[in-house]
Structures are given as C-alpha cells and as structure tokens.
Amino acid sequence: MNLVPNPRLFSFIGGRDGAWKVTGSRVIAGEGLPPVERIDVAPGDIAAPPWSDGWVLRGATSNERYVTRPEKDLLVAAQQGPARPPHALAVLIPIKKNDRWWGLTQDERRGIFEERSGHTRNGLELSPTITRRLHHCRDLSRPEPFDFVTWFELGLEDVTAFDLLLDRLRGSLEWTYVEREVEIRLQRS
Amino acid sequence: MNLVPNPRLFSFIGGRDGAWKVTGSRVIAGEGLPPVERIDVAPGDIAAPPWSDGWVLRGATSNERYVTRPEKDLLVAAQQGPARPPHALAVLIPIKKNDRWWGLTQDERRGIFEERSGHTRNGLELSPTITRRLHHCRDLSRPEPFDFVTWFELGLEDVTAFDLLLDRLRGSLEWTYVEREVEIRLQRS
C-alpha cells in the first residue's frame, strides 16, 4: 500500500500541543467538537492525539470548484503585495453541507454559491492581508466528519472585517445548506 | 485513526484473481500499466496483490463536476428502463489530465468539457444499456497515478457504439489535456 500522503493533504490536530492556542470556540450549526487547548497544523495524514478529548480533521487543497476566470484574476490580484510578518491570529472553520446540496447539479450549486450568495464577491471585500486555505474532505479515502475545513490567518486589525464577512455568508442562501459548522479562534504562541 | 473506508471508495485490483478476465489492453497516452490476467473490483481501500506485477487503482464516486440540471435530467431518463441481466463485458479506463487542465477555472473547464467537446452530449448518444461509474482519485488521502478511473459495463451489442464514443471523445479538445490514459477490456468470468 502506498504510504506517502497526498502532498495537498493537511491534518488539523486538536489537543494539548501545537503552534496555535485556542482563544474561543463556538458551534454555528449541528454538533460541536470536543474543546481542546491547542491546534497543530501538519502536512499529511496524522493520527489523533492520545488524549481522549483530542481529534483530527483532515482535508486536501484542490482545484477550485466554482470560481470563474475573471473572479480568479481578481482573487490573485488581491493577494499580491509586499511580504508581511506572519499573522498573529488564525480561525479554523469546518463545515458540512447537507445531502440537498450534494444532490444539486454544478450549475445549481454555482448559482447559489455566487449569483445568489456572493461567496467570492463578499470574500474579495476582505482585507487582502487575510489568507485563506480551503481543504476538501469529502473525497478522502476515509470518511471525515466535515466536507470542508477552511483555515484563515489574519492580523488583529482584520478581525472586524472578517466578522462582517462571516455574518454575511452565514445569512446567505448558500448557508441554508450548511448542516454542521464550528468556528475555532486561535492565537499563534 | 479512522480505518473505515469512505463508502464511495472503490479499488480496482489488477492481478491473477478476480471476477473480470482481461481480453485486451492498450495505452492511449503516456505510460501503460503492467499487464495482468484479471481485475477485481471491490469497495474500500484494498492493498496491492502480492505479485510483483499486480497493481491497484483507487477512486471515489462523488458529486458531478460539470453537468447542468437539464443534462442531469436527460442522463437520469436515459438510465431508466426494465431490469436487464448483468452485462458480459466491462472496460476500465484510467485517465490523468495535465497541470494545464487543473490550472483552468471552473467555467473554462466546463466550456471545454461540454460546449467545445460535447462530453455529456456524446455520452447521451450511447446506448442506455451501457453503465458508467466515474471515480475521482485526485483528492484521496494518498497520491494515485491517475485522476479518474471510469468503469463501464456493456453488452456485446453495445461495443460498436461504445468504440465510436471513445473515438469522438479522444478527438475532442478536452482530450488535448489528457496526459495518461490506458484502456483495459474485460469479460465477466
């Protein structure tokens, strides 16, 4: 069996170790996750930590599923800029969408995602200093509790704009298809 | 670690055992696969057989990536019909697309896949008795040699139409993005 992991696969390990200290956590929809003190982010398929309350979420970065070329060009342009010091804050948001979402066709999902919910359009209003990495969990070799894990890194000065973005997205039509969502705020330590 | 496999994951095991006898194999693009006598299809993540020339390809069925609602409705309607005896023949076609394809945005990929190559349109002309199951390999936990594995089952009477479809697709713009493709013909034994 091939034991080398997918190079785009990452593990988010909740437990007592790790570079990121949990400063807050809340359940947005469905079942929560056991509270943990710290989260570590590591490439590959990492086993859950030995503590009974530890957990791991895994996901792989992949090609974008809804973005058009003009949107992609705007996203890439927004990410350009001078090198900056590492961000002090991170937010981990795992999300599971319901069967109704996955039963939609590509054009229906795109219509809800962008034309009716403005997912990318709203995201582009974010401060370009916020970094976002989306991980897909649904087509991994073993079942994962969520469909997506998004990892954001941001500065203290970005928090207000970031919270506004979350509010907007969570009020959108797209979010009526979200059946489980947890939000974990972190600080680099 | 969660050892239960993704319920949509399948393994295609090339070796000396299995329900399907290889009757022919050819390389369409790129590197081939070691020749095998038989292929078995099994749910889950199966280890490679112990023979030095054996191999396993793995992939998970998933949501469709390009099909629109009208196309989906046509596909579903085409698959309706009275129950039939199991097909005598199968064809296994693993495909890898190049980095140029994966660098395209969703609208660009859809435009090539359907508007310019007629992938679904041509597929709909197939005899409705041919069954097709597409497996995605790219976002599994470990790297796979191909991006997709398609498994077709068909009757002897479908072979001419099937060959015509393969010829059409392989002459399409979409196929200029295929960098590796193998075609293995099988007979139920």
Side-chain angles (χ1 to χ4, degrees), chain B residues 71-145:
Chain B
E71 289 161 359
K72 172 90 176 184
D73 290 344
L74 287 172
L75 285 168
V76 169
Q79 282 152 17
Q80 305 301 319
R84 295 188 186 85
H87 285 307
L89 306 178
V91 184
L92 177 70
I93 304 187
I95 281 180
K96 185 178 173 64
K97 284 180 171 167
N98 60 22
D99 289 345
R100 209 159 48 88
W101 175 261
W102 295 113
L104 296 174
T105 55
Q106 179 67 31
D107 59 325
E108 291 169 335
R109 277 182 277 112
R110 158 76 198 184
I112 294 164
F113 179 92
E114 194 55 41
E115 278 72 28
R116 301 196 53 193
S117 303
H119 194 126
T120 300
R121 199 163 64 239
N122 279 304
L124 277 165
E125 289 185 25
L126 264 180
S127 159
T129 66
I130 298 177
T131 62
R132 168 186 172 276
R133 201 171 65 196
L134 175 65
H135 308 77
H136 296 259
C137 323
R138 204 164 169 265
D139 294 338
L140 292 180
S141 304
R142 293 188 301 272
E144 286 287 325

Side-chain angles (χ1 to χ4, degrees), chain A residues 2 8 65 139 142, chain B residues 2 8 65 138-139 142:
Chain A
N2 182 359
R8 294 179 276 100
R65 305 292 157 90
D139 295 337
R142 292 188 302 270
Chain B
N2 180 358
R8 294 180 278 99
R65 305 293 158 88
R138 204 164 169 265
D139 294 338
R142 293 188 301 272

Side-chain angles (χ1 to χ4, degrees), chain A:
Chain A
M1 203 176 295
N2 182 359
L3 293 174
V4 178
N6 182 332
R8 294 179 276 100
L9 179 67
F10 292 85
S11 293
F12 300 86
I13 307 140
R16 300 179 192 171
D17 288 329
W20 296 91
K21 188 179 169 353
V22 175
T23 58
S25 172
R26 59 183 185 132
V27 178
I28 308 299
E31 197 192 339
L33 281 169
V36 291
E37 291 167 34
R38 286 174 175 276
I39 287 179
D40 210 10
V41 184
D45 185 344
I46 308 290
W51 311 296
S52 61
D53 54 355
W55 42 258
V56 184
L57 304 177
R58 302 172 187 89
T61 61
S62 189
N63 55 296
E64 284 124 357
R65 305 292 157 90
Y66 303 111
V67 170
T68 62
R69 176 57 60 190
E71 289 161 359
K72 172 89 178 187
D73 290 345
L74 288 171
L75 285 167
V76 169
Q79 283 152 18
Q80 305 299 318
R84 297 187 184 84
H87 286 306
L89 306 178
V91 184
L92 177 70
I93 304 187
I95 281 180
K96 184 177 174 66
K97 285 180 172 167
N98 60 21
D99 289 345
R100 209 161 45 91
W101 176 261
W102 294 113
L104 297 175
T105 54
Q106 178 68 30
D107 58 325
E108 290 169 336
R109 279 182 275 112
R110 158 74 198 186
I112 293 165
F113 179 93
E114 194 56 40
E115 278 72 28
R116 303 196 51 191
S117 303
H119 195 128
T120 301
R121 199 163 66 239
N122 279 305
L124 277 164
E125 288 183 25
L126 265 181
S127 159
T129 66
I130 299 176
T131 62
R132 168 185 170 278
R133 201 173 64 196
L134 174 65
H135 308 77
H136 297 259
C137 323
R138 203 163 170 268
D139 295 337
L140 292 181
S141 303
R142 292 188 302 270
E144 286 286 325
F146 296 92
D147 293 333
F148 308 100
V149 174
T150 312
W151 177 260
F152 298 93
E153 293 189 19
L154 59 162
L156 259 171
E157 67 282 7
D158 300 315
V159 171
T160 307
F162 183 72
D163 288 346
L164 181 67
L165 174 75
L166 291 185
D167 282 349
R168 269 198 211 168
L169 287 175
R170 286 176 183 151
S172 72
L173 180 64
E174 185 191 351
W175 249 251
T176 63
Y177 295 86
V178 171
E179 67 174 29
R180 188 176 180 195
E181 179 177 8
V182 180
E183 176 189 305
I184 303 175
R185 305 261 173 164
L186 305 128
Q187 198 172 333
R188 195 188 289 273
S189 67

